[in-house]
């Protein structure tokens, strides 16, 4: 047995996926929510994923469509629907949803989401064009306001990283961290860039800093060990 996460905490069934409950018990739990209040959006989303795992695709889509219409803007609805199609590995349909969202609201992160789906389809050239567009949107946004550009910095940084412009990406990740130093995922992105540049010692220093700053988070220690194992040829020289 690989771990307790593969065992349903309710019925003990081994269902072979890393969730708290097996799909059968999860449906009962979701259906058992008190009827004196409506489902919240995320509960319909959870239910749709459960039915997807039970191969009941039609019911899954129906539940998802209904849930995403509750207290949600239309562009967000299409983006969230694209996530569902991506779970099903139907990336062409996911892209169609993103395109509808972009028509409503040409947000930089929508272009990045589309680019990720295109990458899954192996359409790298088209993906890069979408990353470039996301960068342009962020740059245009920064011209309009000069206060808190955190999201623009991270958007540009991610786009540059995907375009393999790692030095430039690091610059923008650092600008984002200057605004929000608690966003540790930006440190992890910088590590990834440094690793691509062959700057392993600098990357290791950031891991050491994260372990000191977040002593209760065991993931950073695990990431550090994996990093050292992957690059042991460099550190064992």
């Amino acid at each position: 047995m690989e771990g307790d996460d593969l065992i349903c905490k309710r019925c003990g069934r081994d269902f072979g996926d890393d969730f708290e409950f097996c799909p059968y018990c999860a449906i009962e739990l979701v259906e058992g929510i008190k009827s004196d209040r409506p489902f919240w959006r995320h509960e319909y989303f959870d239910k749709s994923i459960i039915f997807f795992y039970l191969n009941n695709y039609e019911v899954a889509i129906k539940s998802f469509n209904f849930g995403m219409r509750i207290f949600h803007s239309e562009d967000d609805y299409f983006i969230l629907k694209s996530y569902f199609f991506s779970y099903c590995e139907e990336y062409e349909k996911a892209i169609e949803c993103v395109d509808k969202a972009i028509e409503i609201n040409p947000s930089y992160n929508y272009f990045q989401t589309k680019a990720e789906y295109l990458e899954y389809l192996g359409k790298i050239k088209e993906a890069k064009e979408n990353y470039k567009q996301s960068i342009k949107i962020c740059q245009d946004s920064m011209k309009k306001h000069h206060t808190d550009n955190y999201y623009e910095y991270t958007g540009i940084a991610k786009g540059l990283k995907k375009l393999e412009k790692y030095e430039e990406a690091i610059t923008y990740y650092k600008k984002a961290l200057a605004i929000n130093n608690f966003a540790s995922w930006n440190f992890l992105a910088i590590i990834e860039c440094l690793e691509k540049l062959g700057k392993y010692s600098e990357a290791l220093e950031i891991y050491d800093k994260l372990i000191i700053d977040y002593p209760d988070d065991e993931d950073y220690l695990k990431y550090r060990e994996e990093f050292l194992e992957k690059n042991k040829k460099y550190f064992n020289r």
Side-chain angles (χ1 to χ4, degrees), residues 197-209:
L197 293 167
K199 298 183 178 182
Y200 304 112
S201 295
E202 291 182 42
L204 184 60
E205 288 176 6
I206 297 177
Y207 272 127
D208 291 338
K209 182 181 185 303

Side-chain angles (χ1 to χ4, degrees), residues 50-106:
I50 291 163
F51 277 108
F52 163 66
Y53 277 108
L54 290 176
N55 297 316
N56 195 332
Y57 185 78
E58 184 178 351
V59 176
I61 288 288
K62 183 177 180 180
S63 178
F64 185 91
N65 285 346
F66 191 84
M68 290 306 101
R69 286 190 171 93
I70 301 176
F71 308 118
H72 231 286
S73 61
E74 195 173 359
D75 56 312
D76 280 342
Y77 162 75
F78 284 117
I79 287 297
L80 289 168
K81 190 171 183 178
S82 82
Y83 295 160
F84 182 83
F85 281 123
S86 73
Y87 284 130
C88 303
E89 297 185 359
E90 295 196 26
Y91 298 111
E92 294 285 2
K93 290 183 179 180
I95 289 170
E96 290 177 8
C97 290
V98 178
D99 284 339
K100 290 178 181 177
I102 289 172
E103 289 178 11
I104 299 166
N105 176 21

Side-chain angles (χ1 to χ4, degrees), residues 11-219:
C11 71
R13 183 187 284 112
D14 182 354
F15 59 97
D17 227 323
D18 190 13
F19 294 94
E20 187 172 4
F21 302 103
C22 74
Y24 304 96
C25 287
I27 283 180
E28 290 183 30
L29 291 168
V30 173
E31 294 284 13
I33 295 170
K34 290 182 179 180
S35 59
D36 59 354
R37 68 167 178 80
F39 276 29
W40 293 105
R41 183 177 60 252
H42 70 84
E43 289 163 356
Y44 278 105
F45 181 67
D46 291 345
K47 185 177 178 181
S48 69
I49 297 300
I50 291 163
F51 277 108
F52 163 66
Y53 277 108
L54 290 176
N55 297 316
N56 195 332
Y57 185 78
E58 184 178 351
V59 176
I61 288 288
K62 183 177 180 180
S63 178
F64 185 91
N65 285 346
F66 191 84
M68 290 306 101
R69 286 190 171 93
I70 301 176
F71 308 118
H72 231 286
S73 61
E74 195 173 359
D75 56 312
D76 280 342
Y77 162 75
F78 284 117
I79 287 297
L80 289 168
K81 190 171 183 178
S82 82
Y83 295 160
F84 182 83
F85 281 123
S86 73
Y87 284 130
C88 303
E89 297 185 359
E90 295 196 26
Y91 298 111
E92 294 285 2
K93 290 183 179 180
I95 289 170
E96 290 177 8
C97 290
V98 178
D99 284 339
K100 290 178 181 177
I102 289 172
E103 289 178 11
I104 299 166
N105 176 21
S107 172
Y108 78 89
N109 52 321
Y110 294 172
F111 281 95
Q112 292 188 349
T113 299
K114 181 178 178 179
E116 290 170 359
Y117 296 152
L118 287 165
E119 287 176 329
Y120 282 118
L121 292 171
K123 299 181 179 181
I124 305 304
K125 184 177 180 180
E126 290 181 52
K128 288 185 175 181
E129 290 303 313
N130 279 272
Y131 283 123
K132 289 178 183 177
Q133 182 63 25
S134 74
I135 291 172
K136 183 179 183 302
I137 291 171
C138 290
Q139 291 171 335
D140 291 343
S141 176
M142 288 169 60
K143 294 175 184 177
K144 298 176 183 178
H145 59 88
H146 307 281
T147 52
D148 184 351
N149 290 315
Y150 173 78
Y151 292 107
E152 286 84 353
Y153 288 148
T154 55
I156 292 172
K158 181 179 178 180
L160 290 168
K161 180 163 73 73
K162 288 289 188 175
L163 294 172
E164 300 179 0
K165 298 182 178 182
Y166 301 116
E167 293 282 7
E168 295 177 63
I170 289 171
T171 298
Y172 279 95
Y173 278 122
K174 288 181 176 179
K175 288 182 178 182
L177 285 166
I179 298 171
N180 181 5
N181 195 44
F182 296 101
S184 57
W185 51 87
N186 287 324
F187 285 111
L188 295 175
I190 290 174
I191 288 171
E192 185 179 345
C193 291
L194 289 170
E195 191 174 3
K196 293 289 187 180
L197 293 167
K199 298 183 178 182
Y200 304 112
S201 295
E202 291 182 42
L204 184 60
E205 288 176 6
I206 297 177
Y207 272 127
D208 291 338
K209 182 181 185 303
L210 288 171
I211 291 169
I212 292 171
D213 291 344
Y214 302 94
D216 296 328
D217 194 329
E218 297 179 359
D219 284 342

